[in-house]
Amino acid sequence: MRHNVHARVLQSGRALARSKRAKHAEYLSQYLYLTLVKDAHTVAQTAGRPVLLESRDPSSSDGHKLGKLADRDLFFDVLSSTATKREARSYLSRFNPPGAKQRPFDGITSSISTIQPGNDLSGVNLGRLYLSARAVDESPVFEQTISTKHFIDRTIEPIHVALVKVKASLSYDDKTLNGVGRTLSQLARLGLSCVVVLDNDSNPTQNVGTENQPAWRKIISMEADRVAAAIECHGGQGVRRFDSVIGVSKISQDLYCSIRVRSGVQVVHRDLLLATLRRGSIPVIVPVGYTLETQTATLVAADEVMLALTRDFAGINPSHSLEEDATLLAGMVRTLQHQLSLDRIIILDPCGGIPSTNRPNGSHVFINLEQEYEDIKEELSGLHGDHKYPQDNNFHAEPTSQASAASTAEHESVAAISADRGAQQLAGNAYVNSFMGAHLSNLQLTKDCLALLPPSSSALITTPEEAANSSRRSMSPTPAPGVGTRSQRNPLIHNLLTDKPIVSSSLPITRLGVSPTQAPQPYIRASPTTFVKRGMPITIIPDPRTHPWQPPTLENPSIQLSDPRIDLPRLIHLIEDSFGRKLDVAHYLARVSSNLAGIIIAGSYEGGALLTWETPPNYSKNCLSRQIPYLDKFAVLKRSQGTGGVADIVFSAMVRDCFPEGVCWRSRRSNPVNKWYFERAEGTWFVPDTGWTMFWTTKGIAGRQFEDYESICASVLPSWADKTGVLD
C-alpha cells in the first residue's frame, strides 16, 4: 500500500511541475509577444541594430506569407523551450531592446543638459538651438598629448554575438541545411547575431600546396554560397560572405601560454564585420587568410579563425606591444568590448556532442571545464589512440591444419575472407580514431575560446540535425534525450532562452528517455548536444577517489567542520543565505561532529552539500550495517539559484562521485525546490504525521531499508536558531 501511495505522490508531483512549466511558458510567450510582435510594423532595436519581424516586402503576398510562416515557426520553437519565469526574466534582461530604458547621451555637459528642447525664458520655442551638437562633441581637437579617455557611445547597445562553426556543410542534405539556416535566422531575430565560420572537414589545410589552393578556394566558395542561401531564404537583413578579413603573420610560438592570447592568425578588418552586424546581416567567413607581408592568399584552419575572432570580439589585440601605455590599452579594450558581446560558441559537427564511456547515456550533457576537462581529455585520448575495433575471432590470418588438408578453393576462400576482415578492422580503427580526434579538437577549441571570454559565455556542440530541429517538424531520425514525453526542442533556441542544456546533467538515466542498454556507444553513432561552460572548480572533502566515503570507525573517524580545508564562516553564510534562516552553529556542530561523511563545495562557496551518516532511532551509532548516507544540507547562494548550473554540478558530484549507490534526504512539503527534487529522485514519500517529504536516489529500496529511511527523515533534529531541536 505504501508503494501505491508513493507512486501517486510521485505522479502528482510531476503533474504539478508540468502545470507550473506551462504557466512559465505562458509567461514567456506574453513577454516575447510584447518584445517581438507589438512592434512588428515598426523598427525594433534588438542588440543595437534594426530587426524587422517581416523582413520580406510587405506589399508582396509571397513575402507576407513567408514572413508570417517564419514568425509562426519562431513562436513554436520559443514556446517549446518551456523556460521558467526566472529564465524568461534573465533572457529579457540580457537581450532587452534599447528603447526599453533611457540612456542619456554622455557628451552633453551638465550645465547645458538642464535646458529642455522648446523651452526658453523668453517663451520662444528655440528647439534644440542651445543643445550640444554631437558632431561638435566628437570632433577632433588639437592636443599634443595623447588623451587616455575613449569615447563610448552609450546610446548603442553592444551586439550580442554567437560564433558558429559549421563543419562539413557539403555533407548536409538540403533539408538539414535549410533547417540550420532557419535556426540561425531565428537566433538573430531573438537578439543573438551569428557569425558563421565554415570548416570543410575534407579540407587538408595543413597540407595543401600552392598549386592546389585555387581548387580548394573554389570548393569553399561554393560551400559558402550554399550556406548563405540557406540562411537568406528565411528572411532577415541578408547575408554577406567574407574571404578577406583574416590576416596571417609570423609570430614566434616559442613562448607557450595556456591561454591563446597570441597567434599568427588575426582579424584585420574588424570594421567590416562590425558594420555588417550593425546592419543586422549575418557574416559567413571562409577559412582563407592573406599574409600580411606579401598579401598572398592561403588556407587557414577553421579553429584558428574561430580563435582569432574570439580574441578580436573579446577586445584582445595581439599586435600591441608591452611598451604601450597600460591605461591607454585598458581604455581601448573597454571600447572594443562595449561594441560586441560574444555570448556563445556554437559548433555544428556531424559527430555531435562529447561522448563518454562513463555516462550511462553515452555522452556528456554538460561539461564543467574547471572540473572535468583533464579527465575528459584523458578519456578521449585513450579512445583515440588505443581503441581497437572489435575483432572477429572466427577468422584467422593463417589457415588451420584442417583447412590445409581441404581443397585449394576452400583454402583460398578462407584466406580471402580473412583479408577482408582484416581490412574492415583497419578501417574501423581509422574511423574510431578520426571520430575521437574530432571530439578532442572540439573540446580543445571550446576550452581555448571560453578561456578568453567572461564566465557568463558558454559553448554548444551539437549535430546539424539537432540544430535544424523545429518544434513542429522533427528532423532527427532518432528521438533526442528528453524528460518524459516532452516534445523535441531546438537546443540552440532553448539554450538562448534558458542558458541551460535541453536536459539537466543531474537527471537520472531513467529521466533521459533512454535506458542504459539503449545508450549510444561513442564509436557507433553521434552523441546528443553537449553544453560547455568554463564553470567552477569542485572541492570534495575527503576526495572519494583516494578516500571512499565510509561510515566512521575508531580507525577511520569522520572529518570535522573545523578541518583547515573548510572555510567555516563562508560555509555558514552559504547555508543561511540559501535557506534564508539563521543557523544555530553550536547546535549544528555538535550534531554532526561524529557522523559527518563529507562536504562538497562548488567554486568559491557558491553552492555546496553536507552529507552525514545517520542511524535509525533505537540503534547504536556503532552499528555500521544500519548507517545510512543522508543529505543533511544542500545549499546554493540566492544569486546563483536557477542560473549557472551550480545546483546540477553539486548534485552530480554527490550521486556520481560520493554516493553512487544512493542517498536519502528530506525537504519541507512547502519547499519550492521540491519539483526539482522530484525529477532527480528515484522515489519519494510523504513522511506520516510530519511536514517532511522524503526523497532517495537508491534503486529498488524495500522493506527494512525503506523503514530506516523513513525513521531517519522523521527523527533528525533541525538546527535553526528560531526552532532549535523542534520537529515539524
Side-chain angles (χ1 to χ4, degrees), residues 1 8 88 248 330 370 378 424 459 503 547 612 615 639-640 661 701:
M1 181 173 123
R8 289 197 297 271
V248 180
E370 286 282 354
E378 182 179 355
Q424 291 178 12
V503 294
H547 297 84
T612 60
T615 307
R639 61 181 172 85
S640 299
E661 299 300 322
I701 70 166

mmCIF file of all heavy atoms in Angstrom, residues 1 8 88 248 330 370 378 424 459 503 547 612 615 639-640 661 701:
data_model
loop_
_atom_site.group_PDB
_atom_site.id
_atom_site.type_symbol
_atom_site.label_atom_id
_atom_site.label_comp_id
_atom_site.label_asym_id
_atom_site.label_seq_id
_atom_site.Cartn_x
_atom_site.Cartn_y
_atom_site.Cartn_z
ATOM 1 N N MET A 1 0.819 -1.187 0.000
ATOM 2 C CA MET A 1 0.000 0.000 0.000
ATOM 3 C C MET A 1 0.862 1.250 0.000
ATOM 4 O O MET A 1 0.581 2.224 -0.673
ATOM 5 C CB MET A 1 -0.903 -0.022 1.222
ATOM 6 C CG MET A 1 -1.827 1.193 1.310
ATOM 7 S SD MET A 1 -2.990 0.983 2.661
ATOM 8 C CE MET A 1 -2.646 2.425 3.582
ATOM 9 N N ARG A 8 1.476 7.397 -6.432
ATOM 10 C CA ARG A 8 0.530 8.504 -6.643
ATOM 11 C C ARG A 8 1.171 9.839 -6.280
ATOM 12 O O ARG A 8 0.959 10.846 -6.957
ATOM 13 C CB ARG A 8 -0.722 8.266 -5.810
ATOM 14 C CG ARG A 8 -1.592 7.116 -6.318
ATOM 15 C CD ARG A 8 -2.990 7.209 -5.722
ATOM 16 N NE ARG A 8 -2.973 7.076 -4.271
ATOM 17 C CZ ARG A 8 -3.061 5.902 -3.640
ATOM 18 N NH1 ARG A 8 -3.153 4.779 -4.326
ATOM 19 N NH2 ARG A 8 -3.055 5.855 -2.328
ATOM 20 N N ALA A 88 13.011 33.408 -18.163
ATOM 21 C CA ALA A 88 12.476 34.416 -19.081
ATOM 22 C C ALA A 88 12.932 35.811 -18.691
ATOM 23 O O ALA A 88 13.319 36.617 -19.538
ATOM 24 C CB ALA A 88 10.950 34.340 -19.102
ATOM 25 N N VAL A 248 47.361 36.683 -41.861
ATOM 26 C CA VAL A 248 48.282 35.653 -41.375
ATOM 27 C C VAL A 248 49.661 36.282 -41.245
ATOM 28 O O VAL A 248 50.181 36.876 -42.200
ATOM 29 C CB VAL A 248 48.342 34.444 -42.327
ATOM 30 C CG1 VAL A 248 49.296 33.390 -41.790
ATOM 31 C CG2 VAL A 248 46.947 33.859 -42.525
ATOM 32 N N ALA A 330 43.979 49.695 -21.716
ATOM 33 C CA ALA A 330 42.770 49.310 -20.979
ATOM 34 C C ALA A 330 41.550 50.048 -21.522
ATOM 35 O O ALA A 330 40.468 49.465 -21.668
ATOM 36 C CB ALA A 330 42.951 49.592 -19.493
ATOM 37 N N GLU A 370 36.295 23.574 -15.624
ATOM 38 C CA GLU A 370 37.194 23.706 -14.475
ATOM 39 C C GLU A 370 37.346 22.385 -13.735
ATOM 40 O O GLU A 370 38.401 22.095 -13.176
ATOM 41 C CB GLU A 370 36.657 24.779 -13.523
ATOM 42 C CG GLU A 370 36.837 26.205 -14.009
ATOM 43 C CD GLU A 370 38.257 26.697 -13.808
ATOM 44 O OE1 GLU A 370 39.060 25.968 -13.187
ATOM 45 O OE2 GLU A 370 38.577 27.799 -14.284
ATOM 46 N N GLU A 378 41.677 13.036 -21.137
ATOM 47 C CA GLU A 378 42.393 11.762 -20.968
ATOM 48 C C GLU A 378 41.563 10.600 -21.497
ATOM 49 O O GLU A 378 42.086 9.689 -22.151
ATOM 50 C CB GLU A 378 42.726 11.559 -19.496
ATOM 51 C CG GLU A 378 43.514 10.288 -19.209
ATOM 52 C CD GLU A 378 43.851 10.141 -17.744
ATOM 53 O OE1 GLU A 378 43.553 11.073 -16.959
ATOM 54 O OE2 GLU A 378 44.403 9.083 -17.360
ATOM 55 N N GLN A 424 38.581 -4.567 -42.871
ATOM 56 C CA GLN A 424 37.483 -3.937 -42.159
ATOM 57 C C GLN A 424 37.921 -3.483 -40.771
ATOM 58 O O GLN A 424 37.528 -2.406 -40.303
ATOM 59 C CB GLN A 424 36.312 -4.911 -42.052
ATOM 60 C CG GLN A 424 35.624 -5.211 -43.384
ATOM 61 C CD GLN A 424 34.509 -6.223 -43.229
ATOM 62 O OE1 GLN A 424 34.107 -6.545 -42.109
ATOM 63 N NE2 GLN A 424 34.025 -6.740 -44.346
ATOM 64 N N ALA A 459 29.335 27.468 -24.501
ATOM 65 C CA ALA A 459 29.515 26.827 -25.808
ATOM 66 C C ALA A 459 28.530 25.682 -25.953
ATOM 67 O O ALA A 459 28.116 25.066 -24.965
ATOM 68 C CB ALA A 459 30.951 26.319 -25.964
ATOM 69 N N VAL A 503 18.300 19.050 -21.423
ATOM 70 C CA VAL A 503 18.044 18.226 -20.249
ATOM 71 C C VAL A 503 19.134 18.487 -19.225
ATOM 72 O O VAL A 503 20.282 18.783 -19.575
ATOM 73 C CB VAL A 503 17.991 16.721 -20.606
ATOM 74 C CG1 VAL A 503 16.809 16.421 -21.476
ATOM 75 C CG2 VAL A 503 19.274 16.274 -21.273
ATOM 76 N N HIS A 547 39.953 8.452 -0.930
ATOM 77 C CA HIS A 547 39.381 8.046 0.351
ATOM 78 C C HIS A 547 37.870 7.889 0.181
ATOM 79 O O HIS A 547 37.114 8.834 0.421
ATOM 80 C CB HIS A 547 39.682 9.075 1.450
ATOM 81 C CG HIS A 547 41.133 9.244 1.756
ATOM 82 N ND1 HIS A 547 41.961 10.075 1.017
ATOM 83 C CD2 HIS A 547 41.923 8.670 2.706
ATOM 84 C CE1 HIS A 547 43.181 10.026 1.503
ATOM 85 N NE2 HIS A 547 43.190 9.176 2.521
ATOM 86 N N THR A 612 25.908 13.293 5.875
ATOM 87 C CA THR A 612 26.206 12.651 7.150
ATOM 88 C C THR A 612 25.836 11.172 7.087
ATOM 89 O O THR A 612 25.171 10.721 6.158
ATOM 90 C CB THR A 612 25.421 13.319 8.296
ATOM 91 O OG1 THR A 612 24.020 13.209 8.028
ATOM 92 C CG2 THR A 612 25.802 14.784 8.434
ATOM 93 N N THR A 615 21.838 7.012 11.759
ATOM 94 C CA THR A 615 21.401 5.699 12.252
ATOM 95 C C THR A 615 19.951 5.795 12.698
ATOM 96 O O THR A 615 19.562 6.769 13.350
ATOM 97 C CB THR A 615 22.271 5.250 13.433
ATOM 98 O OG1 THR A 615 23.648 5.316 13.054
ATOM 99 C CG2 THR A 615 21.933 3.830 13.846
ATOM 100 N N ARG A 639 21.937 34.347 -5.361
ATOM 101 C CA ARG A 639 22.289 34.955 -6.642
ATOM 102 C C ARG A 639 22.673 33.916 -7.686
ATOM 103 O O ARG A 639 22.714 34.219 -8.879
ATOM 104 C CB ARG A 639 23.443 35.946 -6.456
ATOM 105 C CG ARG A 639 24.729 35.320 -5.915
ATOM 106 C CD ARG A 639 25.810 36.370 -5.744
ATOM 107 N NE ARG A 639 26.983 35.868 -5.061
ATOM 108 C CZ ARG A 639 27.980 35.233 -5.661
ATOM 109 N NH1 ARG A 639 27.928 35.005 -6.962
ATOM 110 N NH2 ARG A 639 29.028 34.819 -4.977
ATOM 111 N N SER A 640 22.947 32.693 -7.261
ATOM 112 C CA SER A 640 23.323 31.628 -8.196
ATOM 113 C C SER A 640 22.210 30.615 -8.413
ATOM 114 O O SER A 640 22.394 29.673 -9.179
ATOM 115 C CB SER A 640 24.580 30.903 -7.691
ATOM 116 O OG SER A 640 25.677 31.784 -7.583
ATOM 117 N N GLU A 661 25.756 4.608 -4.941
ATOM 118 C CA GLU A 661 24.789 3.570 -4.581
ATOM 119 C C GLU A 661 23.485 4.139 -4.049
ATOM 120 O O GLU A 661 22.501 3.409 -3.908
ATOM 121 C CB GLU A 661 25.400 2.623 -3.532
ATOM 122 C CG GLU A 661 26.641 1.893 -4.013
ATOM 123 C CD GLU A 661 26.345 1.040 -5.236
ATOM 124 O OE1 GLU A 661 25.244 0.448 -5.281
ATOM 125 O OE2 GLU A 661 27.207 0.960 -6.124
ATOM 126 N N ILE A 701 14.687 0.180 -3.391
ATOM 127 C CA ILE A 701 14.635 0.010 -1.937
ATOM 128 C C ILE A 701 13.311 -0.632 -1.538
ATOM 129 O O ILE A 701 12.282 -0.458 -2.191
ATOM 130 C CB ILE A 701 14.825 1.350 -1.207
ATOM 131 C CG1 ILE A 701 13.602 2.264 -1.413
ATOM 132 C CG2 ILE A 701 16.072 2.051 -1.654
ATOM 133 C CD1 ILE A 701 13.574 3.428 -0.463
#
